[in-house]
Amino acid sequence: MPHALIFIVELLAAAVVVVVLCRLAHLPAILGYLAVGIALGPHAFGVVPLDETTRYLGEFGVVFLMFSIGLEFSLPQLHAMRRAVFGLGFAQVVITTLGAMAALHFFGYGWQAGLVLGGALAMSSTAIVSKMLAERMELSSAHGRDAMGILLFQDLAVVAFLIVIPTLGKSGGELASELGFAAIKAAVALAVILFFGQAPMRAWFHVVARQRSSELFVLNVLLVTLGLGALTASLGLSLALGAFLAGMLIAETEYRYQVEDDIKPFRDVLLGLFFVVVGTALDPRVVFESYGTVALLVLIPITAKVILVTGLARAFGASLATSLRVGFYLGQAGELALVMLALAVGSGVLPDALLQPVLAAMIISMCAAPVVIQFANPLVRWLTGNDWLARATVVTEIAARSMGRQEHVIVCGYGRSGQNLARLLAAEDIAYVAIDADPQRVREAAPDGGSDVMYGDASRREVLSSAGLAKARALVITFANTAVALKILHLVRQTRPDLPVIVRTVDDAEIARLEAAGAAEVVPEVLEGSLMLASHSLLVVGVPLNRVLRRIRTVREERYGLFRGFFRGASDVADAADHRQMRLHTVVLPDRASAVGRTLADMALGDAVEVTGVRRRGGRARRPESDWHFEAGDVVVLLGSAEALLTAEQRLLKSRTSAAPGS
């Protein structure tokens, strides 16, 4: 069997096993690739050689990483985030780089090594931070926006470092001329490609797309990426710079998202190969021999970076709690730092004795990043009282604005679904309080929603209480986040077990969990979308309208227990002022209610009212049979006209002492 095939199989097997383990441990795949490189590198089992060929293959991962960054480059986005990008981000990168240069100069290293290590230290892991922000629903939070703005500037700054680092191996006047010449070449390449290349690029992609061949489209993307990389490399610049410019060009076309999907498999696989190559450069023996130095290089730079980022965020107007969160999120090293180190080693800028402990410290910091981010919020609450003060201010504002509301609906989340619901509630003259954790959305909604839309975290007990949970008639969770919805349901169940809660979810997978947690109804988007699709399809193929409506109504009646009768057709178009219109009403049975201890048949509510469900002790609603015995605290859901509901409520609640015998 050829040796090359054995090498590839061993590498793939190790990568697959380790990355699976990382996924199971909820760790970034980057760490798995680094571990594979360390284990299979020349300093361990020696499966992967550390030679020019291996480094060159690893560089293709950097090429596609920079191409993806170029695809995400957007002038409108930069303008919208200019405070975080060009304020916070610029200050963080410059101060970190200059500080590291000064520190290394104190220890006797040249400014070239200081520039590389300072720039590398300034980088944070976009892959780790963005993933965890998305998972924790914090991308739109104040600290999430600041963190992403700084990361965006870091992505842009690395382009400048990729231009400068290859020239740092020169000396004296030759270095100055090389730096100047590199800057001129980069500026010319940037101008020519971006200003004169957009029209030809768009026209060429039109030609390729008209062939309707996915194979040809992917080949064209690879050609553009590697072709521009080869062009910049022939000018004495880096492959990665050309790939970045290629991504920027394609980002201005309508094919951006298709290209992003097509290139993602190549990027992830080749980027994984790059991190394997980085891992091969790490010598575990040197790390163990200098473990004290490694520990210091982990603790001191990370602590300094957290303090610096926190101070800068504070200086740019963020609260102390927000600033601390940004600092904790960005304290680690990043994948772009490893790119810079690999390029610096190839240029002879960093000595190997310095590279090994620095590389080990950066890898350890990336391993620790998910844990630090996970505990960032408790750490912030422990370190500062301002967070509690800010939360108290939010709660006070919500309480002041919701004071006086009775029988209102609490809408958790004011996104598209929440806004549509709020408009319908307003059209029916039903009071509501909408709570959203995105301050920009709340600010923009103020002219439309007025005092009904408030900033706050609906998963906090004090926020729900200040929104009038004790006086609300219903609560609706409009965002499809099961973890947060379960937390809200738990809080509601503790405080108001009688309150009906309607939850939105994406599909049917989480219905059982949400209903078991106390949701009165769970509305899956997939079900409603499929019903609309089915109704239109049946009409197109010639099924009569009344039969289509009957079919859809049957499915809904089976699925939505609380809404039996609402989808019966005639009442759908009834006027809201019609007192005969069927509607739902909830009745909570107190201790001395006439219904307590009696059966549904005993109450003789009549045919005008239907008992669609009874919830007991916060559990799921059950449709009662005639022999159902009512207990104190039962939540009875009635369906009927306004007059019939009033009569039934009076019959259920009439005090036992005033109820006539046999009534």
Side-chain angles (χ1 to χ4, degrees):
M1 184 179 293
H3 177 71
L5 181 59
I6 297 175
F7 162 70
I8 292 172
V9 170
E10 290 174 340
L11 184 61
L12 288 175
V16 169
V17 171
V18 174
V19 171
V20 166
L21 293 176
C22 284
R23 294 295 187 190
L24 292 175
H26 301 288
L27 294 173
I30 294 172
L31 305 181
Y33 289 122
L34 290 169
V36 170
I38 295 170
L40 301 185
H43 305 295
F45 293 104
V47 176
V48 181
L50 185 59
D51 53 21
E52 289 301 319
T53 303
T54 305
R55 288 195 182 101
Y56 191 72
L57 288 174
E59 192 172 354
F60 280 100
V62 181
V63 166
F64 285 99
L65 172 64
M66 295 306 298
F67 177 77
S68 298
I69 292 174
L71 277 178
E72 296 171 1
F73 183 84
S74 167
L75 290 176
Q77 182 187 24
L78 283 178
H79 184 266
M81 303 175 66
R82 57 191 180 277
R83 169 193 162 274
V85 177
F86 297 108
L88 266 173
F90 176 79
Q92 184 263 327
V93 171
V94 170
I95 295 175
T96 305
T97 305
L98 294 177
M101 290 175 67
L104 286 176
H105 178 72
F106 177 79
F107 287 103
Y109 290 96
W111 68 269
Q112 295 93 332
L115 179 65
V116 172
L117 289 181
L121 178 62
M123 300 297 139
S124 303
S125 177
T126 303
I128 295 174
V129 175
S130 61
K131 177 176 181 292
M132 296 205 69
L133 281 172
E135 288 178 351
R136 294 160 64 87
M137 298 287 289
E138 294 176 350
L139 281 171
S140 61
S141 65
H143 63 275
R145 289 194 300 272
D146 282 351
M148 291 306 298
I150 294 173
L151 288 170
L152 182 56
F153 186 84
Q154 291 176 2
D155 292 343
L156 298 177
V158 80
V159 177
F161 283 111
L162 292 178
I163 295 171
V164 171
I165 289 175
T167 67
L168 295 179
K170 311 294 181 181
S171 60
E174 187 181 2
L175 173 59
S177 62
E178 285 286 338
L179 280 174
F181 193 42
I184 292 172
K185 288 189 293 185
V188 171
L190 187 70
V192 171
I193 292 175
L194 294 182
F195 289 99
F196 299 103
Q198 289 185 5
M201 181 67 69
R202 180 177 279 106
W204 174 243
F205 264 84
H206 284 327
V207 172
V208 173
R210 279 199 296 267
Q211 309 312 310
R212 299 185 180 277
S213 169
S214 57
E215 177 185 4
L216 178 61
F217 192 83
V218 173
L219 284 174
N220 182 60
V221 172
L222 294 176
L223 171 64
V224 171
T225 306
L226 298 178
L228 284 179
L231 176 61
T232 54
S234 66
L235 296 174
L237 303 169
S238 65
L239 280 169
L241 177 60
F244 175 78
L245 295 177
M248 289 182 66
L249 274 179
I250 297 174
E252 299 299 323
T253 70
E254 57 268 40
Y255 303 104
R256 168 187 173 182
Y257 298 105
Q258 181 63 44
V259 169
E260 195 170 10
D261 288 339
D262 289 340
I263 211 69
K264 192 174 186 296
F266 296 97
R267 182 199 67 190
D268 292 345
V269 172
L270 292 173
L271 191 58
L273 178 59
F274 166 74
F275 289 119
V276 170
V277 173
V278 171
T280 62
L282 185 64
D283 188 348
R285 288 173 297 183
V286 175
V287 174
F288 287 125
E289 290 171 0
S290 56
Y291 64 89
T293 304
V294 172
L296 289 175
L297 288 174
V298 172
L299 295 176
I300 294 177
I302 289 180
T303 304
K305 192 174 177 182
V306 169
I307 294 173
L308 173 63
V309 173
T310 301
L312 288 174
R314 194 81 175 96
F316 277 84
S319 67
L320 180 57
T322 297
S323 303
L324 281 168
R325 289 188 179 95
V326 178
F328 284 129
Y329 274 55
L330 300 180
Q332 80 293 131
E335 55 273 4
L336 294 177
L338 303 180
V339 173
M340 293 171 60
L341 289 182
L343 187 59
V345 170
S347 303
V349 178
L350 288 179
D352 192 63
L354 182 60
L355 171 68
Q356 291 296 330
V358 168
L359 186 59
M362 287 186 172
I363 292 173
I364 292 171
S365 75
M366 292 174 68
C367 293
V371 179
V372 174
I373 294 174
Q374 188 71 31
F375 291 98
N377 285 333
L379 281 171
V380 169
R381 287 195 291 269
W382 180 68
L383 288 172
T384 176
N386 282 8
D387 190 33
W388 296 104
L389 180 60
R391 287 167 57 186
T393 303
V394 169
V395 168
T396 303
E397 182 180 355
I398 294 175
R401 293 168 64 182
S402 61
M403 190 178 299
R405 283 184 170 85
Q406 299 279 349
E407 293 292 308
H408 59 287
V409 176
I410 299 177
V411 180
C412 300
Y414 201 65
R416 292 185 180 181
S417 299
Q419 291 169 36
N420 288 330
L421 172 61
R423 292 189 187 103
L424 292 174
L425 290 173
E428 294 293 331
D429 291 326
I430 298 174
Y432 68 89
V433 171
I435 305 171
D436 198 283
D438 186 346
Q440 181 177 354
R441 180 180 293 155
V442 173
R443 186 167 56 251
E444 292 178 351
D448 179 49
S451 60
D452 298 324
V453 185
M454 308 173 192
Y455 172 76
D457 183 355
S459 64
R460 296 189 181 279
R461 185 190 306 274
E462 61 269 22
V463 171
L464 289 177
S465 299
S466 62
L469 182 65
K471 301 176 291 183
R473 63 193 294 185
L475 185 145
V476 185
I477 303 173
T478 67
F479 46 80
N481 185 309
T482 303
V484 179
L486 289 171
K487 186 175 181 180
I488 295 174
L489 285 167
H490 175 70
L491 296 175
V492 173
R493 194 168 182 173
Q494 288 182 330
T495 309
R496 282 286 308 276
D498 61 300
L499 185 70
V501 181
I502 298 90
V503 184
R504 169 192 164 203
T505 186
V506 175
D507 53 35
D508 295 354
E510 302 294 340
I511 289 180
R513 288 179 63 196
L514 291 167
E515 288 183 339
E521 278 300 328
V522 182
V523 181
E525 296 176 0
V526 172
L527 174 63
E528 285 302 320
S530 64
L531 288 179
M532 289 297 97
L533 180 65
S535 62
H536 286 287
S537 301
L538 291 173
L539 288 172
V540 168
V541 298
V543 178
L545 176 61
N546 60 342
R547 193 186 305 173
V548 172
L549 294 176
R550 187 167 64 251
R551 296 286 187 192
I552 300 301
R553 186 169 62 245
T554 301
V555 174
R556 280 178 169 149
E557 287 177 349
E558 292 174 354
R559 172 60 193 87
Y560 298 113
L562 284 182
F563 291 103
R564 270 188 300 273
F566 181 79
F567 297 104
R568 291 178 178 171
S571 63
D572 290 357
V573 295
D575 185 77
D578 188 352
H579 295 288
R580 296 171 298 175
Q581 184 179 356
M582 305 293 282
R583 64 192 70 187
L584 291 166
H585 182 58
T586 302
V587 179
V588 183
L589 301 181
D591 292 339
R592 301 190 61 80
S594 174
V596 173
R598 304 173 67 180
T599 66
L600 177 60
D602 292 338
M603 298 310 299
L605 298 177
D607 297 332
V609 172
E610 180 183 355
V611 180
T612 64
V614 179
R615 288 200 306 279
R616 178 167 292 170
R617 301 184 186 92
R620 291 180 57 185
R622 296 178 55 187
R623 184 176 179 84
E625 301 294 337
S626 59
D627 58 350
W628 173 276
H629 279 80
F630 291 106
E631 296 181 3
D634 280 355
V635 181
V636 185
V637 184
L638 305 174
L639 175 69
S641 64
E643 293 86 354
L645 289 174
L646 179 61
T647 302
E649 182 177 14
Q650 291 174 345
R651 191 168 186 82
L652 287 170
L653 297 181
K654 188 189 306 180
S655 172
R656 293 179 188 173
T657 56
S658 60
S663 63

Coordinates of all heavy atoms in Angstrom, one line a residue, residues 5 8 22 212 225 276 318-319 365 393 410 415 427 460 584 586 604:
L5 N -1.0 7.1 1.0 CA -2.4 6.7 1.4 C -2.5 6.3 2.9 O -3.5 6.7 3.5 CB -2.8 5.5 0.5 CG -4.3 5.0 0.8 CD1 -5.3 6.1 0.5 CD2 -4.5 3.7 -0.1
I8 N -2.6 9.6 4.8 CA -3.9 10.3 4.7 C -5.0 9.6 5.6 O -5.7 10.3 6.3 CB -4.4 10.3 3.2 CG1 -3.4 11.3 2.4 CG2 -5.8 10.9 3.1 CD1 -3.7 11.3 0.9
C22 N -14.5 16.4 20.6 CA -14.7 17.8 20.9 C -16.2 18.3 20.8 O -16.7 19.0 21.6 CB -13.9 18.7 19.9 SG -12.1 18.7 20.3
R212 N -26.0 27.1 -15.4 CA -26.8 26.2 -14.5 C -26.0 24.9 -14.2 O -26.6 23.8 -14.2 CB -28.1 25.9 -15.1 CG -29.0 27.2 -15.4 CD -30.4 26.9 -15.8 NE -31.1 28.1 -16.1 CZ -31.7 28.8 -15.1 NH1 -31.7 28.4 -13.9 NH2 -32.4 29.9 -15.4
T225 N -10.6 32.5 -6.3 CA -9.9 32.6 -5.0 C -8.4 32.3 -5.2 O -7.6 33.1 -4.8 CB -10.5 31.6 -4.0 OG1 -11.9 31.8 -4.0 CG2 -9.9 31.7 -2.7
V276 N -4.0 21.5 12.1 CA -3.1 20.3 12.3 C -1.7 20.7 12.1 O -0.8 20.3 12.9 CB -3.6 19.2 11.3 CG1 -2.6 18.1 11.3 CG2 -4.9 18.7 11.7
A318 N -19.6 52.3 27.5 CA -20.3 51.1 28.0 C -20.4 51.1 29.5 O -19.5 51.6 30.2 CB -19.7 49.8 27.4
S319 N -21.4 50.4 30.0 CA -21.5 50.2 31.5 C -20.4 49.3 32.0 O -19.8 48.6 31.2 CB -22.8 49.7 31.9 OG -23.0 48.3 31.4
S365 N -5.1 29.0 26.0 CA -6.1 30.1 26.2 C -7.3 29.9 25.4 O -8.5 30.1 25.8 CB -5.5 31.5 25.9 OG -5.3 31.6 24.5
T393 N -32.6 49.4 37.7 CA -33.1 50.5 36.9 C -34.1 50.0 35.9 O -35.2 50.7 35.7 CB -32.0 51.3 36.3 OG1 -31.1 51.7 37.3 CG2 -32.5 52.5 35.5
I410 N -48.7 39.8 28.4 CA -47.3 40.0 28.4 C -46.7 39.3 27.2 O -46.8 38.1 27.0 CB -46.6 39.5 29.7 CG1 -47.2 40.2 30.9 CG2 -45.1 39.6 29.6 CD1 -46.7 39.7 32.2
G415 N -39.8 40.8 18.2 CA -39.4 40.6 16.9 C -40.6 40.6 15.9 O -41.6 41.2 16.2
A427 N -55.5 46.1 17.9 CA -56.7 46.2 17.0 C -58.0 45.7 17.8 O -59.1 46.2 17.6 CB -56.6 45.4 15.8
R460 N -36.0 36.8 33.5 CA -35.7 37.1 34.9 C -37.0 37.3 35.6 O -37.9 38.0 35.1 CB -34.8 38.4 34.9 CG -33.5 38.2 34.3 CD -32.6 39.4 34.6 NE -31.3 39.2 34.0 CZ -30.3 38.5 34.5 NH1 -30.4 37.9 35.7 NH2 -29.1 38.4 33.9
L584 N -62.7 32.3 24.2 CA -62.2 31.6 25.4 C -62.2 32.4 26.6 O -62.0 33.6 26.6 CB -60.8 31.1 25.1 CG -60.7 30.0 24.0 CD1 -59.2 29.9 23.6 CD2 -61.2 28.7 24.5
T586 N -61.0 32.1 31.0 CA -60.3 31.3 32.0 C -60.9 31.6 33.4 O -61.1 32.8 33.7 CB -58.8 31.5 32.1 OG1 -58.3 31.1 30.8 CG2 -58.2 30.6 33.1
A604 N -74.0 21.4 35.6 CA -75.0 21.6 34.6 C -74.9 23.0 33.9 O -75.7 23.8 33.9 CB -76.4 21.5 35.2

